Amino acid sequence: MNTAKTRNTRRVLAGINFTGLDRIYQQLDSELGMILTFHHVHPHPIPKFAPNAHLTVHPQFLETVIRLLLRRKIDIISLDEACMRIESDEPPGRRFAVFTFDDGYQDTLVHAVPILKKYDLPYTVYLAPGLIEGTADLWWEAIERVVRQQDRLMIQIPGMGMGPTELDCSNLLQKADTFQFLLDYLTNEVSEEDQRQVVRELCWIYKIDVDALMKSEIMNWQQVESLRADPNCTIGAHTLKHRALARLDLAEARDEVISGAAVLEAQTGQRPQHFAYPYGYRKAAGHRDFELLASLGFKTAVTTRGGMIFPSHREHLSALPRISVNGLYQKLRYFSPFISGLPTRLSTGMRRLDVS
Ligand SMILES: [Zn+2]
């Protein structure tokens, strides 16, 4: 579903690309490179109602991105090497790009890794053991399925009067509103602890098998082993149960990070050196969490806040921004401006660092 906002953004990006503003801007700025974020990579058709469509790109588009970066003479490197370049006192040479894949979807292994292997490129996959072992849920995908399949939902929402609230899902616009309402409710009104139960109840009532969804979407430990055996792959940590750290108290947040990394170490034999904040936006990971991650000895921690990597990020290695390879903008003319850094600079009011 293309909203007016998506259509406008596409127009702006295509305009930047057409005029060449991005390439002029790039010559003036001093960024070192970028860390790209991917979630799903698969060729399956996207349904009409697909509020998570921004999280999916076609394998061909992944290859298009690789070719664009190589054409622009951007080095595609590992997170370890990026870290060395950020910390280096040498004058920056060629710009770099790092490929990161969140959550450990099976399609990373099936569709993305073969393309990365074809070009012999390094990449990072961030894993949350709770998603692998079924103690956490892909709740945003489960909710999408509930809303897609139903014409209306009845849900008991505390503070919204007596009895259940009826949510209209009778057409695409109503479905989008209801999905957004549930997303806001589950990420703002319900605690991280209770979120799972609310989602599970809703899925039970409307016959969405969350466990089957998880098994079909997320890698098992055997598949993780094949990642571990790939010298081009860095396995990064993503908490134990994919919880938004900023919504936990400090002791809980610390435990989420430490336990998640410990399980990964026990399974792979290697302690993860890199971390991605689940969700990664401002309300999900804040300054306290950046300090926590820095204190726990990880080399880097990445958010989902948009931005390029500058030399000054050496002071903020636990709050690195990324560039999302967004499923809504899968055309070269939309994506190409992003590798100049101009769109993210425009959206952050021309600030380079966003570490608050
Ligand atoms: Zn995630």
Side-chain angles (χ1 to χ4, degrees), residues 18 20 24 50 54 57 78 86 138 165 167 183 193 220 240 255 302 304 319 347-348:
F18 182 71
I24 296 168
H54 60 293
V57 299
S78 68
I86 298 166
L138 286 174
T165 302
L167 301 173
L183 205 65
E193 187 66 36
N220 56 38
L240 181 64
D255 188 52
V302 294
T304 54
S347 68
T348 57

Side-chain angles (χ1 to χ4, degrees), residues 10-277:
R10 283 177 181 166
R11 268 196 286 273
V12 170
L13 291 170
I16 291 174
N17 183 55
F18 182 71
T19 56
L21 258 181
D22 52 334
R23 274 145 286 175
I24 296 168
Y25 170 81
Q26 196 185 301
Q27 287 165 8
L28 303 173
D29 212 354
S30 62
E31 82 257 2
L32 298 174
M34 72 207 83
I35 302 173
L36 300 176
T37 314
F38 294 84
H39 287 85
H40 284 290
V41 179
H42 66 68
H44 314 309
I46 304 291
K48 262 192 179 163
F49 175 68
N52 291 306
H54 60 293
L55 300 176
T56 299
V57 299
H58 195 286
Q60 271 174 8
F61 190 63
L62 168 62
E63 192 154 7
T64 300
V65 169
I66 291 171
R67 288 182 177 191
L68 172 71
L69 295 170
L70 296 176
R71 249 193 339 270
R72 297 271 180 97
K73 304 204 177 335
I74 293 172
D75 296 336
I76 299 171
I77 61 174
S78 68
L79 263 181
D80 278 337
E81 193 179 336
C83 201
M84 284 193 298
R85 290 200 192 184
I86 298 166
E87 289 184 314
S88 167
D89 291 325
E90 301 287 312
R94 281 163 50 134
R95 295 159 73 231
F96 69 75
V98 177
F99 281 70
T100 66
F101 297 82
D102 287 14
D103 302 333
Y105 295 106
Q106 291 188 20
D107 56 49
T108 301
L109 208 55
V110 174
H111 296 291
V113 170
I115 296 172
L116 296 157
K117 275 195 197 304
K118 179 176 158 189
Y119 291 87
D120 194 21
L121 297 174
Y123 60 98
T124 295
V125 181
Y126 293 110
L127 301 174
L131 291 176
I132 297 169
E133 294 175 348
T135 56
D137 292 325
L138 286 174
W139 61 268
W140 56 97
E141 296 195 12
I143 293 294
E144 173 180 330
R145 282 163 170 76
V146 169
V147 175
R148 183 185 301 129
Q149 289 178 12
Q150 301 300 320
D151 284 335
R152 62 174 197 146
L153 300 179
M154 302 298 283
I155 177 171
Q156 190 75 46
I157 295 174
M160 282 189 67
M162 298 284 281
T165 302
E166 182 176 336
L167 301 173
D168 186 356
C169 311
S170 57
N171 58 46
L172 282 178
L173 279 176
Q174 292 297 347
K175 282 183 193 296
D177 280 354
T178 293
F179 180 82
Q180 191 57 50
F181 172 82
L182 289 171
L183 205 65
D184 292 343
Y185 174 63
L186 289 163
T187 50
N188 295 316
E189 307 298 326
V190 176
S191 71
E192 289 291 288
E193 187 66 36
D194 294 341
Q195 189 189 64
R196 184 164 204 237
Q197 199 190 339
V198 175
V199 169
R200 289 232 153 203
E201 277 172 13
L202 195 65
C203 288
W204 184 78
I205 293 168
Y206 293 105
K207 298 187 170 46
I208 294 295
D209 186 340
V210 190
D211 294 315
L213 170 70
M214 299 288 293
K215 280 206 176 76
S216 67
E217 295 290 339
I218 297 284
M219 289 179 208
N220 56 38
W221 285 119
Q222 223 173 351
Q223 290 167 313
V224 171
E225 173 55 25
S226 74
L227 282 183
R228 193 206 57 77
D230 181 353
N232 273 341
C233 179
T234 300
I235 293 179
H238 199 35
T239 73
L240 181 64
K241 294 188 177 178
H242 204 273
R243 288 185 169 166
L245 294 187
R247 302 218 302 138
L248 305 175
D249 69 35
L250 181 60
E252 287 171 328
R254 198 182 156 82
D255 188 52
E256 266 291 307
V257 177
I258 291 175
S259 316
V263 176
L264 286 181
E265 183 173 3
Q267 289 286 344
T268 66
Q270 289 160 358
R271 186 185 140 71
Q273 307 277 310
H274 303 276
F275 177 88
Y277 299 95

